[in-house]
Amino acid sequence: MEVTPVSDIMGAEVTGVDLSVPMDAETQCALRDAFLKYQVLVIRDQHLTPLQQVEFSSQWGELEIPDNVQHTHGDSNRVMILSNEIRPDGSAVGVVDGGDFWHSDSSHHTVPSMITILQSVRHPSKGGDTEFCNMYKVYEDLPEETKAKIEGKLGVHHVSKVKNKRVTVSPDRPGAKDFYEMQAKTREDVLQPLVLTHPETGRKALYCSPRFTLGIQGMTEEEADPILDELFGYITDRKRRWHYRHKWQDNDLVFWDNRCVCHRAVGGYGLPDIRCLHRTVVAGDRAYTDQQAA
Ligand code: SIN
């Protein structure tokens, strides 16, 4: 197995492994080391069936069962389909607007996702990249004054897009507005530390995102907004100083560490061009607020 960095900032390509067969303990260990060191791993030319993807993903921990059952794969309810394909009856084959704003997966849950694993099944002729932001580097780059302002503070996270003035609801996803309105009514806010000490590496990372973080506990909107805008400015930074952009090929398998990485689907494609990925998610093993309370 060889590990080659894909940028100076984060990410590495791993070659010499076949993920469709079980890995020996030594390879597994080397892959975990690379994962913790580079945060995003790219493994090309993998042809995993949904069940093989589940098998590979399960080596990293327990898998989440996606909420939206109608977009899971027929072979396994652990595999969610991300796709812009619309059936003749108007229904969507997969999640159409998945990841369209910067976020860390499921930070709106008390126990957020740990690792997200995507395999490209079909790639559009143009567009469809995924961008990643290294949240360790962002944290390290913050002015000391900002670090002091956010130390020990908790961000307020919510899944509903209609509660969040920084995002919009995609017109391409059938029924999206009703779905997010229902979530606004039925889901509670969740608190997460703004600075997360990674449970395995011990490094500090900024932990918030324009998609899910709406405020800061104990602050008014007027107090929290300038701080959040400053923090989000590092993630959306035009110069992309702390970022890696993955240009997909069919059969790429990419996975990342949600504890220290924000990501977004860049878009830039449209029907009849189809983008389809299979997504599995390793569940988190702890609530971060239990570990590092304000
Ligand atoms: C995601 O946010 O999990 C999906 C990212 C993508 O589709 O590029």
Side-chain angles (χ1 to χ4, degrees):
M1 180 181 116
E2 268 190 53
V3 180
T4 312
V6 291
S7 81
D8 294 339
I9 301 302
M10 68 194 305
E13 182 172 343
V14 178
T15 50
V17 284
D18 175 3
L19 305 182
S20 67
V21 291
M23 238 175 253
D24 59 51
E26 197 187 328
T27 311
Q28 227 175 59
C29 213
L31 203 58
R32 181 167 276 280
D33 287 350
F35 175 71
L36 292 176
K37 181 168 180 191
Y38 294 106
Q39 297 101 47
V40 179
L41 293 184
V42 175
I43 311 182
R44 299 206 191 261
D45 237 347
Q46 302 297 313
H47 298 259
L48 304 189
T49 64
L51 288 178
Q52 286 170 332
Q53 182 169 338
V54 166
E55 189 90 351
F56 166 71
S57 307
S58 301
Q59 294 173 22
W60 298 79
E62 198 175 317
L63 300 192
E64 290 179 2
I65 303 179
D67 292 340
N68 38 8
V69 186
Q70 77 274 27
H71 297 317
T72 53
H73 196 281
D75 291 351
S76 170
N77 64 353
R78 279 12 187 213
V79 178
M80 187 159 91
I81 301 171
L82 304 180
S83 172
N84 61 322
E85 187 172 1
I86 305 291
R87 297 189 188 92
D89 68 0
S91 64
V93 167
V95 177
V96 171
D97 61 346
D100 53 355
F101 292 90
W102 284 103
H103 66 288
S104 171
D105 284 324
S106 291
S107 68
H108 52 87
H109 284 308
T110 308
V111 177
S113 311
M114 189 191 298
I115 303 171
T116 305
I117 298 160
L118 287 186
Q119 184 178 212
S120 171
V121 176
R122 190 161 164 193
H123 197 62
S125 55
K126 67 177 172 73
D129 300 348
T130 305
E131 280 191 302
F132 298 96
C133 179
N134 183 334
M135 300 297 275
Y136 291 136
K137 297 264 189 200
V138 167
Y139 178 74
E140 285 157 17
D141 196 31
L142 294 177
E144 290 307 318
E145 196 191 328
T146 308
K147 284 184 183 161
K149 267 191 224 163
I150 63 173
E151 189 59 41
K153 293 277 187 283
L154 299 175
V156 179
H157 293 232
H158 199 282
V159 66
S160 178
K161 282 186 170 173
V162 298
K163 284 187 78 167
N164 186 344
K165 64 188 172 196
R166 293 183 172 89
V167 303
T168 51
V169 176
S170 164
D172 301 331
R173 172 167 164 182
K177 189 116 196 297
D178 293 345
F179 172 74
Y180 286 122
E181 259 156 19
M182 177 58 76
Q183 287 183 318
K185 285 193 207 125
T186 55
R187 302 275 286 264
E188 300 287 321
D189 288 341
V190 164
L191 299 174
Q192 301 291 359
L194 283 173
V195 182
L196 180 63
T197 302
H198 192 293
E200 290 183 82
T201 66
R203 292 177 68 186
K204 283 184 174 185
L206 181 68
Y207 191 71
C208 60
S209 70
R211 170 69 183 86
F212 293 132
T213 315
L214 307 183
I216 300 178
Q217 188 196 35
M219 289 191 191
T220 62
E221 200 172 323
E222 288 69 32
E223 288 164 339
D225 269 356
I227 301 173
L228 291 177
D229 287 339
E230 179 188 351
L231 300 176
F232 297 158
Y234 285 79
I235 304 172
T236 59
D237 169 41
R238 279 179 188 281
K239 293 193 185 133
R240 298 291 196 254
R241 284 179 308 146
W242 307 125
H243 300 67
Y244 162 64
R245 181 169 178 144
H246 185 68
K247 293 186 182 305
W248 292 88
Q249 297 169 12
D250 286 349
N251 307 311
D252 280 358
L253 186 134
V254 175
F255 57 109
W256 63 87
D257 188 341
N258 285 297
R259 298 165 293 186
C260 54
V261 171
C262 261
H263 64 281
R264 70 160 191 143
V266 177
Y269 58 93
L271 293 170
D273 230 359
I274 288 175
R275 178 182 193 257
C276 178
L277 298 118
H278 287 170
R279 180 179 189 266
T280 41
V281 178
V282 179
D285 59 356
R286 69 195 72 203
Y288 303 138
T289 40
D290 290 352
Q291 307 298 314
Q292 25 201 3

